[in-house]
Amino acid sequence: MKLTRKYSKAQELLFSSQVDLMSLVVCGIQKSVHAAYKARATNLIVSTTALYKKLCGVELSVSQALVRETASDLRVLIEIMGGEQPNPLPGYQHKIVDGTCLAATDHRLDAIRLFAAKALPGKAIVVLDPLSKLVIDIILCQDGHAQERSLFDHVLSGVQANDVWTGDRNFCTAKFLWTIAQQKAFFVIRQHGSLGWTQLSELKTLGQTDTGNLFEQCVEICYEGNRLKCRRVVLKLFVPTRDKQWEIAILTNLPPSQADAAKIAELYRNRWSLETLFQTVTENFNGEIQTLAYPKAALFSFSMALVTYNILATLKAALGSIHGIGKIDAGLSDFYLVDEIQGTYRGMMIAIPSQQWEIFRTYSLDQMGQLLQQLATSVNLKRFLKAIRSPKKKREPLIVDHKHRHVSTARLLDK
C-alpha cells in the first residue's frame, strides 16, 4: 500500500492511526470522528484539525488499495478454513459488479453551504467475489454527478481469463461486453434497452424455473466493426419486477455445455447478493458519515465500511466451516453479530491490556484460521439467529376523522 501514496506531508499521524480511528466510527463503537479522537487522545500527538486535514487528503488510490490488499489476505484465510460457497461453475472465477452513490453530506463546506440541493461526495463501483462473499475491488470517483460508465475502463482493467462477470443492465454496453470477451473471460449481464443487436435465431422454449418461463436465442453485437456472437436468455416472469417488467433478457458468452439457460438465470439472480451487501453496510455500519463533506474523506469512510464488512464475512465463513455454510447463510443475523461486537468491544479493551493483543501480529494465516475455527466451535448460534417475520397482512383502509385529531389507545383497546 505504500506504493500507492504519492506524497505525505504530515508524518505525525500515521495512516494506521487513521484506520484505527475510522474503524471505531464505522463499526458504531464511537458515534463520531471527534469521539473516536477523544477515545484515542492519549496515544495521539496531533490536534483534531490535523486529523480532519489528513482524512480529507486520503488519496483514492490508498482507499482502493486498503480494500484490495485486506481482501486478498482474507480470501486466503477463508480458503484455509474451507468457508467458501460452493462454486456453481467449477473452473471459473465469479465476480459481481455494481455501482453505488454515496449519501449526501451536511453542508459544512463554504463551496456548498449556500446550496439547498443535496451535496453528493462521490460514487463507487464495487466488485464482489460471491464464493468468499468478499469485496475484492473498488473503483472510487469524487464526482457525485459522474456517470458510472465513465469508470468502466478501470473495471475492465481488472478482467482476467476465465472470469465470469455478472452485472445489471447499466453495464450492458458493446465495449464492456466486447472487452470482456477479448480477455477470454465471460459475462452474464442483463440486456439494456439501448444496446443494438442482431437476431441470429428464433427464441426457443427451454422449460421454466420457479420464477418464470425460459427462452433462448443466438444474437450478434457489433463494436467498432467487430462482431461478437452470444446467447440471449429470456426469462418471462410469473410475477413482475418492482419496475413492473414482465421480462428479463440476459446476455452471456458462456458456452451452453458449461451453463444452460437455467444456470444463466441462477447466476444473474445471485447478483442480488451485492445488493444485500449494500443493505448490510448501510444498516449495520456507519460508512457514510454526514459530517465528512470532503469527497476523499467520505470515500475513505465508505472504503473502511467495506473492509469492516469483509471482516464480518470472514467471521461468518469461520462459523460456516464449523457449523455448515448453508446453515450460517440462512439463519445467522448480521445485525445481531454486529450488535455483539459493538457491545463487547469497549469492555473487552478495558479488561484485556493492549499488550495481550500483540501476539496475533505474529500469527500466520494458517494459525489465524485454526484459532478462528477453534473459537467458532464454542459460539452459541441461537443468540444470533435471524428473527423470522410472519407474512405481512393486508392493511385495511385508515379511518380518517377530521373532527378528532387524536384517539385514546386505552379506550380503543377496551372495545
PDB file of all heavy atoms in Angstrom, residues 26-38:
ATOM      1  N   VAL A  26     -16.872   3.614  12.059  1.00  0.00           N
ATOM      2  CA  VAL A  26     -17.601   2.799  11.083  1.00  0.00           C
ATOM      3  C   VAL A  26     -18.326   1.644  11.761  1.00  0.00           C
ATOM      4  O   VAL A  26     -19.453   1.308  11.407  1.00  0.00           O
ATOM      5  CB  VAL A  26     -16.626   2.280  10.004  1.00  0.00           C
ATOM      6  CG1 VAL A  26     -17.274   1.193   9.168  1.00  0.00           C
ATOM      7  CG2 VAL A  26     -16.175   3.425   9.107  1.00  0.00           C
ATOM      8  N   CYS A  27     -17.696   1.040  12.769  1.00  0.00           N
ATOM      9  CA  CYS A  27     -18.319  -0.080  13.479  1.00  0.00           C
ATOM     10  C   CYS A  27     -19.381   0.367  14.476  1.00  0.00           C
ATOM     11  O   CYS A  27     -20.061  -0.482  15.073  1.00  0.00           O
ATOM     12  CB  CYS A  27     -17.255  -0.896  14.209  1.00  0.00           C
ATOM     13  SG  CYS A  27     -16.170  -1.814  13.114  1.00  0.00           S
ATOM     14  N   GLY A  28     -19.522   1.665  14.684  1.00  0.00           N
ATOM     15  CA  GLY A  28     -20.516   2.159  15.622  1.00  0.00           C
ATOM     16  C   GLY A  28     -20.079   2.118  17.062  1.00  0.00           C
ATOM     17  O   GLY A  28     -20.889   2.339  17.966  1.00  0.00           O
ATOM     18  N   ILE A  29     -18.802   1.832  17.315  1.00  0.00           N
ATOM     19  CA  ILE A  29     -18.294   1.799  18.689  1.00  0.00           C
ATOM     20  C   ILE A  29     -18.170   3.218  19.235  1.00  0.00           C
ATOM     21  O   ILE A  29     -18.425   3.474  20.413  1.00  0.00           O
ATOM     22  CB  ILE A  29     -16.946   1.062  18.728  1.00  0.00           C
ATOM     23  CG1 ILE A  29     -17.168  -0.402  18.307  1.00  0.00           C
ATOM     24  CG2 ILE A  29     -16.317   1.124  20.107  1.00  0.00           C
ATOM     25  CD1 ILE A  29     -15.895  -1.159  18.031  1.00  0.00           C
ATOM     26  N   GLN A  30     -17.776   4.156  18.370  1.00  0.00           N
ATOM     27  CA  GLN A  30     -17.793   5.575  18.696  1.00  0.00           C
ATOM     28  C   GLN A  30     -18.768   6.276  17.749  1.00  0.00           C
ATOM     29  O   GLN A  30     -18.863   5.910  16.580  1.00  0.00           O
ATOM     30  CB  GLN A  30     -16.391   6.190  18.572  1.00  0.00           C
ATOM     31  CG  GLN A  30     -15.365   5.605  19.520  1.00  0.00           C
ATOM     32  CD  GLN A  30     -15.642   5.940  20.975  1.00  0.00           C
ATOM     33  OE1 GLN A  30     -16.402   6.863  21.280  1.00  0.00           O
ATOM     34  NE2 GLN A  30     -15.031   5.191  21.890  1.00  0.00           N
ATOM     35  N   LYS A  31     -19.467   7.284  18.271  1.00  0.00           N
ATOM     36  CA  LYS A  31     -20.545   7.897  17.498  1.00  0.00           C
ATOM     37  C   LYS A  31     -20.059   8.884  16.445  1.00  0.00           C
ATOM     38  O   LYS A  31     -20.804   9.220  15.521  1.00  0.00           O
ATOM     39  CB  LYS A  31     -21.530   8.592  18.439  1.00  0.00           C
ATOM     40  CG  LYS A  31     -22.193   7.669  19.442  1.00  0.00           C
ATOM     41  CD  LYS A  31     -22.985   6.577  18.734  1.00  0.00           C
ATOM     42  CE  LYS A  31     -23.699   5.669  19.729  1.00  0.00           C
ATOM     43  NZ  LYS A  31     -24.419   4.559  19.054  1.00  0.00           N
ATOM     44  N   SER A  32     -18.858   9.381  16.561  1.00  0.00           N
ATOM     45  CA  SER A  32     -18.359  10.372  15.618  1.00  0.00           C
ATOM     46  C   SER A  32     -16.839  10.293  15.547  1.00  0.00           C
ATOM     47  O   SER A  32     -16.185   9.647  16.382  1.00  0.00           O
ATOM     48  CB  SER A  32     -18.782  11.776  16.034  1.00  0.00           C
ATOM     49  OG  SER A  32     -18.156  12.149  17.248  1.00  0.00           O
ATOM     50  N   VAL A  33     -16.278  10.961  14.540  1.00  0.00           N
ATOM     51  CA  VAL A  33     -14.826  11.002  14.403  1.00  0.00           C
ATOM     52  C   VAL A  33     -14.204  11.703  15.603  1.00  0.00           C
ATOM     53  O   VAL A  33     -13.167  11.285  16.127  1.00  0.00           O
ATOM     54  CB  VAL A  33     -14.436  11.713  13.092  1.00  0.00           C
ATOM     55  CG1 VAL A  33     -12.915  11.852  12.985  1.00  0.00           C
ATOM     56  CG2 VAL A  33     -14.978  10.959  11.883  1.00  0.00           C
ATOM     57  N   HIS A  34     -14.849  12.774  16.068  1.00  0.00           N
ATOM     58  CA  HIS A  34     -14.323  13.509  17.221  1.00  0.00           C
ATOM     59  C   HIS A  34     -14.342  12.650  18.483  1.00  0.00           C
ATOM     60  O   HIS A  34     -13.401  12.690  19.288  1.00  0.00           O
ATOM     61  CB  HIS A  34     -15.138  14.784  17.442  1.00  0.00           C
ATOM     62  CG  HIS A  34     -14.524  15.724  18.432  1.00  0.00           C
ATOM     63  ND1 HIS A  34     -13.431  16.513  18.143  1.00  0.00           N
ATOM     64  CD2 HIS A  34     -14.836  15.981  19.738  1.00  0.00           C
ATOM     65  CE1 HIS A  34     -13.106  17.227  19.205  1.00  0.00           C
ATOM     66  NE2 HIS A  34     -13.936  16.920  20.189  1.00  0.00           N
ATOM     67  N   ALA A  35     -15.415  11.863  18.650  1.00  0.00           N
ATOM     68  CA  ALA A  35     -15.492  10.970  19.807  1.00  0.00           C
ATOM     69  C   ALA A  35     -14.400   9.906  19.742  1.00  0.00           C
ATOM     70  O   ALA A  35     -13.801   9.552  20.767  1.00  0.00           O
ATOM     71  CB  ALA A  35     -16.871  10.321  19.878  1.00  0.00           C
ATOM     72  N   ALA A  36     -14.125   9.397  18.546  1.00  0.00           N
ATOM     73  CA  ALA A  36     -13.056   8.414  18.392  1.00  0.00           C
ATOM     74  C   ALA A  36     -11.701   9.039  18.695  1.00  0.00           C
ATOM     75  O   ALA A  36     -10.828   8.407  19.300  1.00  0.00           O
ATOM     76  CB  ALA A  36     -13.075   7.848  16.975  1.00  0.00           C
ATOM     77  N   TYR A  37     -11.529  10.298  18.280  1.00  0.00           N
ATOM     78  CA  TYR A  37     -10.270  11.003  18.563  1.00  0.00           C
ATOM     79  C   TYR A  37     -10.061  11.140  20.078  1.00  0.00           C
ATOM     80  O   TYR A  37      -8.964  10.905  20.594  1.00  0.00           O
ATOM     81  CB  TYR A  37     -10.290  12.379  17.908  1.00  0.00           C
ATOM     82  CG  TYR A  37      -9.154  13.282  18.340  1.00  0.00           C
ATOM     83  CD1 TYR A  37      -7.898  13.173  17.759  1.00  0.00           C
ATOM     84  CD2 TYR A  37      -9.345  14.233  19.342  1.00  0.00           C
ATOM     85  CE1 TYR A  37      -6.851  13.987  18.163  1.00  0.00           C
ATOM     86  CE2 TYR A  37      -8.301  15.056  19.754  1.00  0.00           C
ATOM     87  CZ  TYR A  37      -7.057  14.932  19.155  1.00  0.00           C
ATOM     88  OH  TYR A  37      -6.041  15.739  19.557  1.00  0.00           O
ATOM     89  N   LYS A  38     -11.119  11.499  20.797  1.00  0.00           N
ATOM     90  CA  LYS A  38     -11.005  11.655  22.252  1.00  0.00           C
ATOM     91  C   LYS A  38     -10.705  10.316  22.919  1.00  0.00           C
ATOM     92  O   LYS A  38      -9.989  10.256  23.916  1.00  0.00           O
ATOM     93  CB  LYS A  38     -12.280  12.268  22.814  1.00  0.00           C
ATOM     94  CG  LYS A  38     -12.549  13.697  22.323  1.00  0.00           C
ATOM     95  CD  LYS A  38     -13.743  14.324  23.017  1.00  0.00           C
ATOM     96  CE  LYS A  38     -13.406  14.651  24.457  1.00  0.00           C
ATOM     97  NZ  LYS A  38     -14.496  15.407  25.129  1.00  0.00           N
TER      98      LYS A  38
END
